[in-house]
């Protein structure tokens, strides 16, 4: 219908950090304790309202496993926004997230909005490996939206998607 602007948003990050879980929580309000690892990529949409503007978010959930990395440019090409996800309990996934950010900064649209999600914050008290201050500093240096999230408890899940939606250009 008239007045609905579609925006392309891509999720990137190491396998098992919770990309599909964040999308499932945002779109359907659900969480699976044993989510299936994504093959190739998955596509879902969610419509959100910002003031009196309705925005259709086209969500491209990529597969994190190494053998699918060559497909990533197909998903982030033309994207208006990206969420790069890492798992706060796994420092390697934070390093990998930084590589994705660099790739987006060089290969994606120059005005792409990038958000960094430190997921699985529900596990922070027992198994945290990435300090929130380190991620915060990195995000500020690179002009990224940053939040720690939990697809399990839903903490900050709507908030990170909405923070991006609010920054999208309004047509
Ligand atoms: P690929 O599709 O292989 O790239 O992985 P993914 O990034 O989509 O991860 P997925 O959503 O499949 O989640 C991997 C596992 O982590 C699943 O067993 C989820 O239940 C679990 N998980 C996802 N998000 C959270 C979270 O916020 N907290 C906890 N405790 N577990 C989570
Ligand atoms: Mg997945």
């Amino acid at each position: 219908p008239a007045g609905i602007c579609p925006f392309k948003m891509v999720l990137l990050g190491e396998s098992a950090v919770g990309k599909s879980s964040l999308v499932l929580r945002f779109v359907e309000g659900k969480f699976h304790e044993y989510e299936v690892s994504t093959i190739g990529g998955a596509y879902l949409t969610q419509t959100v309202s910002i003031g009196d503007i309705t925005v259709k978010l086209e969500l491209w959930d990529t597969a994190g496993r190494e053998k699918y990395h060559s497909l990533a440019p197909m998903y982030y090409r033309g994207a208006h926004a990206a969420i790069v996800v890492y798992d706060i309990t796994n420092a390697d996934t934070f390093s990998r997230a930084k590589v994705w950010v660099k790739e987006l900064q060089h290969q994606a649209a120059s005005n792409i909005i990038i958000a960094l999600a430190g997921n699985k914050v529900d596990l922070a008290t027992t198994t945290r490996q990435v300090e929130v201050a380190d991620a915060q500093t990195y995000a500020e240096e690179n002009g990224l939206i940053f939040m720690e999230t939990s697809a399990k408890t839903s903490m900050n899940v709507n908030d990170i998607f909405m923070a991006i939606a609010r920054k999208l250009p309004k047509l």
Side-chain angles (χ1 to χ4, degrees), residues 33-162:
E33 204 64 56
Y34 300 98
E35 184 58 53
V36 184
S37 182
T38 305
I39 294 167
Y43 172 74
L44 287 96
T45 68
Q46 176 70 308
T47 300
V48 300
S49 296
I50 302 146
D52 51 9
I53 297 169
T54 302
V55 175
K56 182 184 178 192
L57 301 177
E58 300 179 335
L59 307 172
W60 295 88
D61 172 24
T62 67
R65 280 183 288 158
E66 189 68 42
K67 64 174 174 179
Y68 296 113
H69 284 179
S70 60
L71 299 178
M74 196 173 82
Y75 290 102
Y76 64 65
R77 191 175 300 132
H80 299 91
I83 304 183
V84 178
V85 185
Y86 67 95
D87 171 351
I88 67 145
T89 73
N90 180 337
D92 289 342
T93 68
F94 183 51
S95 304
R96 188 65 185 92
K98 292 177 177 176
V99 176
W100 280 121
V101 169
K102 199 167 279 176
E103 180 166 339
L104 289 169
Q105 287 168 338
H106 289 97
Q107 310 291 340
S110 61
N111 58 349
I112 190 169
I113 297 160
I114 306 175
L116 181 67
N119 192 43
K120 308 196 186 182
V121 70
D122 56 286
L123 302 175
T125 51
T126 49
T127 47
R128 177 189 286 278
Q129 284 189 1
V130 181
E131 292 308 321
V132 63
D134 293 342
Q136 183 83 59
T137 302
Y138 169 75
E140 277 167 20
E141 286 168 357
N142 285 274
L144 316 178
I145 294 169
F146 168 66
M147 290 184 200
E148 288 193 331
T149 59
S150 171
K152 184 169 181 171
T153 68
S154 80
M155 180 177 156
N156 281 342
V157 176
N158 283 345
D159 308 65
I160 197 160
F161 282 95
M162 291 307 291

